Amino acid sequence: MAVREQVRRLGLVLAILIGVVVLLRFVAIPRAYFSTPLHRASTVQREVAKPVHFAGMAACRECHSDVYETKNAGYHKGLACETCHGPSTRHAEDPMSVKPVAPRDRTFCPVCHAYDRSRPTGFPQINPALHNEGLPCIACHNAHDPVPPEVPQECSACHAQIARTKAVSRHAPLACTTCHEASQQHKITPRAALPSKPQTREFCGQCHAGGADGSNVPQVDLATHGSHYLCWQCHYPHLPEGNP
């Protein structure tokens, strides 16, 4: 048999197979089988049918009042106990035999705290791949009173890139707090409590105005230099040369 004839027959077989698949896909199989709303509805129905029974916070508070009060005074006060511990009716009915679940790894807390740009400004977010790699969240954070156990004392803990740039600039000898005031709240919710920036030309003029102390410091005439602009609007103070 000629090779050409073999190819022709093989092509014919493939065409028949493809035709059968197309026929099954669009004719033999009901269109509803591929319906996303149908699958979503059936999934919801299946989940609702599961024997899930919540005990409610009143039941939790009855035996764990101290934990409840701690949680209710902290950042997780808006969460029900069973948000993290799961439906606990069986535990409430038989506390000694049935223990509620408790997140003990790094997969549960990032459901809310992994970085997502759609979340509100100031909401605590992390990069789970880099944040205390390998440690379970509860190793550092008390889930019932989730305040950072140790607030970073150094600005470079969060602003490492700026710190490295400033370290080779003319402003390297200056502490960050020389120009910025950062409240304690900034260390907890950085975007909700931003640090200050100098708001007057006279602030930079303490060192850079003509006649100020410091012979090696570049000085200008504030009355004529830069018009009414604030100094940092033209000179980025963290850059090595301090130029725009």
Side-chain angles (χ1 to χ4, degrees):
M1 183 182 296
V3 174
R4 186 173 181 179
E5 178 62 18
Q6 292 176 338
V7 172
R8 189 185 69 80
R9 292 187 177 185
L10 179 60
L12 179 62
V13 172
L14 289 176
I16 293 174
L17 289 176
I18 293 173
V20 170
V21 171
V22 171
L23 182 66
L24 291 173
R25 168 64 179 80
F26 291 101
V27 178
I29 301 177
R31 294 177 63 85
Y33 186 82
F34 300 98
S35 170
T36 300
L38 176 65
H39 283 282
R40 183 179 295 117
S42 63
T43 300
V44 171
Q45 185 178 13
R46 185 170 59 252
E47 292 298 318
V48 170
K50 289 182 178 179
V52 177
H53 301 289
F54 292 96
M57 282 201 294
C60 303
R61 182 171 50 187
E62 186 174 342
C63 296
H64 306 284
S65 58
D66 54 339
V67 176
Y68 173 84
E69 296 299 335
T70 299
K71 182 192 76 67
N72 216 36
Y75 288 96
H76 279 173
K77 61 183 178 183
L79 299 180
C81 303
E82 289 165 295
T83 301
C84 301
H85 294 290
S88 302
T89 294
R90 294 182 58 202
H91 169 66
E93 295 172 348
D94 188 359
M96 300 305 296
S97 300
V98 182
K99 300 296 183 183
V101 299
R104 302 293 186 192
D105 55 28
R106 295 174 56 84
T107 61
F108 186 80
C109 301
V111 171
C112 293
H113 293 289
Y115 175 72
D116 184 335
R117 66 176 64 182
S118 65
R119 291 192 168 118
T121 299
F123 186 83
Q125 300 183 67
I126 61 163
N127 180 341
L130 302 176
H131 183 82
N132 289 335
E133 185 177 3
L135 293 176
C137 303
I138 60 172
C140 300
H141 304 280
N142 179 355
H144 299 132
D145 186 18
V147 175
E150 182 178 351
V151 176
Q153 298 299 309
E154 299 294 338
C155 303
S156 59
C158 296
H159 306 285
Q161 184 175 2
I162 294 177
R164 288 194 295 271
T165 303
K166 188 179 82 68
V168 292
S169 77
R170 293 177 178 176
H171 283 165
L174 301 181
C176 301
T177 51
T178 302
C179 302
H180 302 286
E181 292 183 3
S183 66
Q184 190 69 13
Q185 188 65 24
H186 172 68
K187 301 174 183 177
I188 300 172
T189 54
R191 293 183 182 277
L194 297 175
S196 68
K197 293 179 179 179
Q199 295 300 312
T200 65
R201 293 164 54 81
E202 287 70 25
F203 181 87
C204 298
Q206 296 176 82
C207 297
H208 295 288
D213 293 337
S215 58
N216 295 325
V217 176
Q219 296 180 342
V220 298
D221 182 354
L222 288 182
T224 59
H225 181 83
S227 184
H228 59 280
Y229 292 105
L230 294 175
C231 303
W232 52 264
Q233 290 177 312
C234 298
H235 303 275
Y236 184 60
H238 303 140
L239 284 177
E241 299 301 328
N243 292 326

